[in-house]
Amino acid sequence: MSTDFLPLQGTDYVEFYVGNAKQAAHYYRSAFGFQALAYSGPETGNKDTVSYVIRQNKLTFVLTTALRPEHPIAEHTRIHGDGVRVLALRVDDAAAAWVETTHRGGKSHMEPTVLKDAAGEVVLSGIHTYGDTIHVFVERKNYSGVFMPGFREWKPAYNPPSTGLLYVDHCVGNVGWNQMDPWVGFYENVMGFRNILSFDDNDISTEYSALMSKVMSNGNGYVKFPINEPAEGKKKSQVEEYLEFYKGEGVQHVALATADIIGTVTQLRDRGVEFLQVPASYYADLIERVGKIDEDLRPLQELGILVDRDDEGYLLQIFSKPVEDRPTLFFEIIERKGAKSFGKGNFKALFEAIEREQGARGNL
Ligand code: FE2
């Protein structure tokens, strides 16, 4: 058995570049149930940007904005709108992760850099992936502080409760025409991932919205990155709409795991998160399609939660509408009951729901 040259302990954090981090942090706390954790800004000696760190169980989001128009982060949000900049991966040795990946052809974003304060040290390094997206390798085994040097604890008076979100299940990238296989090659060759599932346009095709997808997984399966590219359809595919409005390749959705999808989605809906809805007919023959499940059908239908089964079990999932005005990033909420797949049986109903939204935007 070959050794894993890039052992990953999971997702460390997801960083979003946004136009207004103060308001974005409020949205993810009030609507999604994240808890305040840490802050960086002028008060901590950081003159050019502000970052809020929020956490829910093993999920950590960082929301960052530029304070001045000439800052590169301001340019990033001008071009892309709000979106994911960093998919940070926890490692035992950030210097080794950088050496291994850059020697295999990864383009360096940040050489290994040691950050120190009274609580110890964090080592960061980074490489580029699709579009303007970055992987940062985070080594924090010698750090006991709240997040990392440069941040202070953030303890606001307002602390809405959790919604039961647990960790990042997977994170999907949209890439351009004929770019899926080159990026599959990048994850195989540079990061040592393997392709565990593939979907072609026969699997994922509705009247209009065709796409192809390959799911890349690291060795221990903690990190899964499906890669989508558009396919020819009658009209504009959802991936093309994304590429047009994000102005390039980027993260399409982040899937957040829960152990109680009915409870979590009820909370999210009641706090204002909007979800895609499938027609009532989806539920008429659901049990014939997926077999017996533990959950009552009625709350699943009321909330619009989808179900799919594979050889190992079943999964429940639902997709939010885009969380920005541009039709770009959205979230998936997923509860796995044994299934290790991604809901292929729901693609048709789901993509038809996306097309109804695209049509309403005039982008079909
Ligand atoms: Fe997904």
Side-chain angles (χ1 to χ4, degrees):
M1 203 184 113
S2 63
T3 56
D4 187 351
F5 65 80
L6 183 63
L8 300 176
Q9 298 165 359
T11 302
D12 192 276
Y13 65 88
V14 180
E15 182 168 10
F16 304 75
Y17 281 179
V18 299
N20 185 337
K22 178 175 280 197
Q23 289 189 4
H26 187 80
Y27 173 72
Y28 285 109
R29 293 166 64 223
S30 60
F32 281 79
F34 283 78
Q35 311 298 306
L37 183 73
Y39 171 85
S40 172
E43 301 86 344
T44 67
N46 173 11
K47 297 292 183 209
D48 298 323
T49 64
V50 167
S51 295
Y52 296 84
V53 186
I54 56 177
R55 181 167 287 168
Q56 185 165 185
N57 297 301
K58 288 183 176 171
L59 271 171
T60 305
F61 284 0
V62 181
L63 300 151
T64 296
T65 200
L67 291 172
R68 298 169 208 285
E70 62 275 15
H71 194 279
I73 292 174
E75 182 66 3
H76 191 281
T77 51
R78 187 187 71 79
I79 293 170
H80 300 298
D82 290 4
V84 173
R85 166 65 168 177
V86 179
L87 295 170
L89 304 168
R90 178 91 52 92
V91 296
D92 189 58
D93 185 339
W98 184 87
V99 168
E100 295 286 352
T101 52
T102 56
H103 283 188
R104 287 173 168 80
K107 186 178 157 213
S108 177
H109 166 68
M110 185 200 308
E111 291 187 13
T113 304
V114 181
L115 306 176
K116 288 186 182 180
D117 66 14
E121 66 174 45
V122 170
V123 188
L124 303 177
S125 64
I127 59 170
H128 292 266
T129 177
Y130 48 79
D132 283 331
T133 317
I134 303 293
H135 288 311
V136 170
F137 301 115
V138 182
E139 173 189 334
R140 52 170 75 257
K141 61 179 186 283
N142 297 315
Y143 193 68
S144 60
V146 62
F147 181 60
M148 60 175 69
F151 288 78
R152 72 178 187 199
E153 193 172 17
W154 177 33
K155 293 180 104 175
Y158 172 67
N159 292 293
S162 163
T163 61
L165 296 170
L166 298 174
Y167 55 85
V168 174
D169 184 275
H170 61 276
C171 199
V172 180
N174 278 342
V175 299
W177 291 97
N178 306 312
Q179 293 303 303
M180 178 178 68
D181 284 329
W183 284 109
V184 164
F186 166 86
Y187 281 105
E188 285 173 342
N189 300 326
V190 173
M191 296 188 63
F193 283 41
R194 59 200 173 84
N195 176 210
I196 57 168
L197 274 174
S198 298
F199 308 103
D200 64 19
D201 48 347
N202 296 318
D203 297 317
I204 318 182
S205 171
T206 62
E207 193 180 356
Y208 300 134
S209 190
L211 65 82
M212 297 189 285
S213 189
K214 288 186 176 174
V215 181
M216 306 308 294
S217 173
N218 81 317
N220 61 20
Y222 290 177
V223 179
K224 290 187 281 292
F225 293 145
I227 306 290
N228 295 334
E229 75 170 35
E232 278 315 331
K234 268 193 193 163
K235 291 194 181 176
K236 187 184 290 174
S237 131
Q238 52 170 299
V239 179
E240 282 181 275
E241 188 197 33
Y242 175 99
L243 295 169
E244 183 179 312
F245 281 87
Y246 197 69
K247 287 283 176 223
E249 302 178 340
V251 173
Q252 179 209 40
H253 74 268
V254 182
L256 310 175
T258 172
D260 170 19
I261 197 165
I262 291 173
T264 294
V265 173
T266 299
Q267 279 291 317
L268 295 170
R269 181 198 60 182
D270 291 352
R271 299 194 204 181
V273 178
E274 297 176 308
F275 292 100
L276 291 174
Q277 294 300 322
V278 294
S281 58
Y282 173 89
Y283 296 92
D285 59 350
L286 179 66
I287 300 307
E288 281 126 82
R289 276 185 284 130
V290 302
K292 192 179 162 333
I293 56 174
D294 301 335
E295 294 75 15
D296 291 333
L297 210 49
R298 184 191 297 232
L300 297 180
Q301 178 163 359
E302 278 173 7
L303 295 164
I305 294 167
L306 311 176
V307 189
D308 194 27
R309 186 178 286 278
D310 64 22
D311 294 343
E312 293 168 278
Y314 67 97
L315 62 82
L316 305 108
Q317 64 185 168
I318 190 168
F319 295 83
S320 80
K321 293 185 180 181
V323 292
E324 320 74 18
D325 294 303
R326 296 193 200 190
T328 53
L329 175 75
F330 59 88
F331 289 95
E332 173 181 353
I333 311 301
I334 184 166
E335 180 178 357
R336 295 188 179 277
K337 296 246 173 132
K340 295 205 177 73
S341 53
F342 294 82
K344 177 176 159 181
N346 291 325
F347 287 167
K348 188 171 180 350
L350 184 65
F351 293 169
E352 285 171 353
I354 291 174
E355 280 166 18
R356 284 191 293 276
E357 300 278 322
Q358 258 182 284
R361 292 190 283 264
N363 293 335
L364 254 189

